Amino acid sequence: MIDVKNLHKGFGGVQVLKGITTNFHPGKTSLIIGQSGSGKTVFLKSLIGLHTPEEGTISFDGRVSTNFTNEERRQWRQEIGMVFQGSALFDSQTVEENVMFPLKMFKKQSQKEMLERVNFVLDRVNLTNSNKKFPAELSGGMQKRVAIARAIVMNPKYLFCDEPNSGLDPQTAIVIDKLIQEITDEYQITTVINTHDMNSVMEIGEKIVFLKDGRKAWEGSSNEIFKTDNEAVVSFVYSSNLFKKVREAYLNEKNL
Amino acid sequence: MKYLEDIGKYFMMLGQVFKRPQKGRVFYEALIKEIEELGLKSLGIIMFISFFIGGVIALQTALNLENPFIPKSLIGFAAKRSIILEFAPTFCSIILAGKVGSYITSSIGTMRVTEQIDALEVMGINSLNYLVLPKVIATVFFYPFLIALAMILGIFGGWVAGVLSGLFTGADYIEGIQTTFNPYLIRYAIIKTLVFAFLIATVPSFHGYYVKGGSIAVGKASTQSVVWTTVLIVIANYFLTQMLLT
């Protein structure tokens, strides 16, 4: 479990995160939503240790990340998988090399063992026969799959995804969402996803944290988000007519 | 103030670069790749330029020595000295600063803006060590060979120019290049090359690694890195010459 307590972070005197407290559970897909500039990316980057909090703590199964020794931090890093917004695949490496990279750096395995593992995860993300292709030869959706494969190749305990659906068509976005949810469930990973995509909120949001101006404005599940009367959440999530209608239909169905 | 901050940041970067590689095999693979990218792929341009500049140096020297009392062998001697002392180590390093420097900055800068460096950091990899150390070792190891080749081709270019133009004979030129050979000058040129190679690898890496923004920022950083590497090579050249030759 990831436990965040009173997290503060600022840049050049501007406070971006203003005391966020929340937690994320294993085997559940948790979403962080909010408008642009609400602090989602800074929050996610603080969770993965790319930003150091000014105040507050983040603990991973009871281990406080700010208190890690170098060795503990190195160990903890190997428990993390991250899917970046633009996939962040290494341009100069093939799909196979990209996915194999963490294994080469941290595992003492033979080339054959590593290749078996790479093929297994590529198969798991439904990407076969692309081992020798370079990222530039792949579609956006395929690049995301490779990024997911690279993120899970080390069997992570924690998976973080920064806008995994950005730039994808709705159909591919749903496939990627489902894939992340399946993997989370299958390996009991603690997954945190930063997203703008309301489809993801409806489909896979087992826990949703809504950020506004660097503060947690609301949290709940995808079912609860239909019922909430939190003004900030309603105006953000139901800003489109389509989602307003979906919400009305849901509430009518439940007679709420 | 910004310059002081950057100088401090540059030395802190070097502190991270010069750490033991996390995985020997991965480092070795990266090193071989960098020797190819930064060294072997520069062979063509260095060979081409050295040959022709050597020819021009010999021709210019011949055209400026009109006094019949000055022996023609002096052309070979002067061309050899110019090529060994300045043209090969300094001029070639400035060319490499342009070619290799812009490549290093744009490749590392692109990795920064596309979050590839963040991906390395999240995996627990010392990104500076992984990205920059192989470049430093590759340039420092390979450039002395490149510069030695530039010396040989430059001197050969001078001989070809003389023979083709008829301004001096091949025999005079060879006599000149054999006159008062001082091996210390080669050592001086190699020492300069090692320092310049270090600058060519680290200054552009610094500009690429700390770039902020998008593609325009990467382009600007590339230009800046070439300018700064050239400036630092020229300054280092002055101090090294004063320290080693006076």
Side-chain angles (χ1 to χ4, degrees):
Chain A
M1 186 174 88
I2 303 172
D3 200 12
V4 182
K5 279 190 184 136
N6 194 30
L7 193 70
H8 284 78
K9 178 69 189 170
F11 299 95
V14 180
Q15 208 58 32
V16 181
L17 303 181
K18 301 165 186 166
I20 296 175
T21 298
T22 187
N23 50 42
F24 305 106
H25 294 273
K28 283 199 170 162
T29 314
S30 305
L31 305 185
I32 307 164
I33 60 168
Q35 285 178 320
S36 300
S38 60
K40 297 191 303 292
T41 301
V42 175
F43 182 56
L44 196 75
K45 288 195 171 181
S46 300
L47 291 180
I48 58 174
L50 289 179
H51 294 323
T52 312
E54 288 163 354
E55 212 184 311
T57 58
I58 305 165
S59 53
F60 293 80
D61 295 310
R63 300 165 297 161
V64 179
S65 65
T66 42
N67 296 344
F68 282 155
T69 62
N70 284 345
E71 182 52 31
E72 283 170 338
R73 183 168 294 275
R74 203 178 66 81
Q75 210 61 41
W76 166 70
R77 290 263 182 230
Q78 290 172 42
E79 295 173 2
I80 287 181
M82 173 79 193
V83 179
F84 284 88
Q85 188 172 358
S87 299
L89 299 175
F90 305 126
D91 308 321
S92 57
Q93 298 181 1
T94 61
V95 166
E96 188 177 286
E97 288 165 342
N98 261 285
V99 180
M100 197 185 281
F101 187 75
L103 297 174
K104 269 169 107 174
M105 287 304 287
F106 300 110
K107 297 274 183 197
K108 284 181 181 160
Q109 290 179 333
S110 67
Q111 184 74 13
K112 188 173 167 262
E113 285 170 322
M114 287 193 289
L115 200 57
E116 273 171 15
R117 176 72 186 150
V118 167
N119 287 331
F120 174 79
V121 288
L122 283 175
D123 190 44
R124 181 64 196 83
V125 299
N126 305 320
L127 198 70
T128 44
N129 303 323
S130 298
N131 290 36
K132 300 296 172 196
K133 285 185 178 167
F134 283 91
E137 298 172 284
L138 305 175
S139 67
M142 287 164 92
Q143 287 185 13
K144 284 276 154 63
R145 285 168 196 269
V146 179
I148 293 170
R150 188 177 67 181
I152 62 168
V153 75
M154 294 276 285
N155 270 327
K157 286 171 80 175
Y158 316 101
L159 178 66
F160 299 94
C161 308
D162 189 14
E163 312 233 5
N165 293 336
S166 73
L168 300 181
D169 64 85
Q171 205 175 1
T172 312
I174 288 169
V175 171
I176 295 292
D177 273 347
K178 291 280 177 206
L179 181 63
I180 294 171
Q181 195 179 33
E182 281 168 22
I183 287 167
T184 302
D185 191 45
E186 202 172 311
Y187 302 108
Q188 287 296 296
I189 303 173
T190 308
T191 299
V192 182
I193 303 173
N194 197 349
T195 189
H196 267 128
D197 186 8
M198 287 311 123
N199 268 326
S200 305
V201 173
M202 309 292 174
E203 294 283 338
I204 61 167
E206 290 172 276
K207 174 169 184 170
I208 299 157
V209 177
F210 178 73
L211 298 187
K212 189 170 192 289
D213 299 328
R215 290 192 172 86
K216 184 181 79 179
W218 182 86
E219 73 178 1
S221 67
S222 58
N223 285 332
E224 286 164 338
I225 210 165
F226 283 112
K227 300 177 222 162
T228 183
D229 50 9
N230 182 305
E231 209 173 293
V233 177
V234 171
S235 68
F236 176 73
V237 177
Y238 304 108
S239 52
S240 87
N241 282 333
L242 176 66
F243 286 113
K244 267 184 206 154
K245 283 176 184 162
V246 170
R247 186 186 189 218
E248 279 165 20
Y250 177 87
L251 295 177
N252 287 338
E253 193 182 309
K254 302 275 176 188
N255 292 321
L256 293 168
Chain B
M1 211 47 200
K2 170 88 169 64
Y3 291 128
L4 282 177
E5 195 186 315
D6 281 349
I7 291 168
K9 222 157 122 181
Y10 172 75
F11 283 104
M12 282 170 73
M13 177 193 90
L14 293 183
Q16 287 299 311
V17 170
F18 290 101
K19 286 198 168 162
R20 193 161 172 255
Q22 281 164 288
K23 198 76 178 246
R25 191 174 63 168
V26 175
F27 173 77
Y28 178 74
E29 283 172 9
L31 179 63
I32 298 296
K33 199 174 138 251
E34 297 298 357
I35 288 175
E36 188 195 342
E37 283 295 332
L38 310 179
L40 292 173
K41 286 188 179 171
S42 304
L43 265 173
I45 184 84
I46 291 297
M47 286 167 72
F48 177 79
I49 289 178
S50 304
F51 181 78
F52 281 97
I53 295 283
V56 171
I57 289 171
L59 290 179
Q60 294 274 21
T61 312
L63 290 168
N64 283 286
L65 290 178
E66 289 171 342
N67 191 328
F69 293 106
I70 297 175
K72 291 282 184 195
S73 64
L74 192 66
I75 297 164
F77 177 75
K80 176 192 75 177
R81 283 283 168 112
S82 310
I83 290 165
I84 291 176
L85 290 174
E86 280 311 312
F87 164 70
T90 311
F91 192 81
C92 286
S93 292
I94 288 172
I95 291 163
L96 289 167
K99 182 188 175 288
V100 173
S102 58
Y103 164 76
I104 292 176
T105 307
S106 54
S107 60
I108 296 183
T110 304
M111 287 187 77
R112 166 63 73 198
V113 300
T114 56
E115 295 180 308
Q116 292 175 49
I117 290 178
D118 284 346
L120 288 170
E121 292 288 329
V122 169
M123 286 177 203
I125 293 161
N126 175 348
S127 57
L128 278 167
N129 175 269
Y130 172 72
L131 293 172
V132 184
L133 188 62
K135 289 179 173 56
V136 177
I137 306 284
T139 54
V140 168
F141 168 76
F142 198 80
Y143 284 5
F145 294 103
L146 211 56
I147 299 307
L149 184 68
M151 288 175 188
I152 294 164
L153 281 172
I155 292 169
F156 176 64
W159 178 80
V160 172
V163 170
L164 290 180
S165 67
L167 285 171
F168 52 88
T169 64
D172 284 338
Y173 187 79
I174 288 167
E175 188 191 335
I177 60 174
Q178 287 175 337
T179 308
T180 57
F181 178 74
N182 181 358
Y184 179 71
L185 298 183
I186 304 281
R187 278 214 300 279
Y188 158 78
I190 297 298
I191 292 169
K192 284 210 304 189
T193 303
L194 293 174
V195 174
F196 298 160
F198 182 81
L199 291 172
I200 289 168
T202 55
V203 175
S205 296
F206 171 79
H207 279 93
Y209 192 83
Y210 292 106
V211 74
K212 277 183 185 150
S215 55
I216 291 177
V218 174
K220 279 184 183 168
S222 280
T223 311
Q224 268 194 328
S225 84
V226 173
V227 171
W228 274 109
T229 311
T230 308
V231 167
L232 289 172
I233 285 174
V234 170
I235 293 171
N237 187 35
Y238 172 77
F239 284 108
L240 286 168
T241 304
Q242 190 150 44
M243 280 194 294
L244 298 169
L245 289 187
T246 57

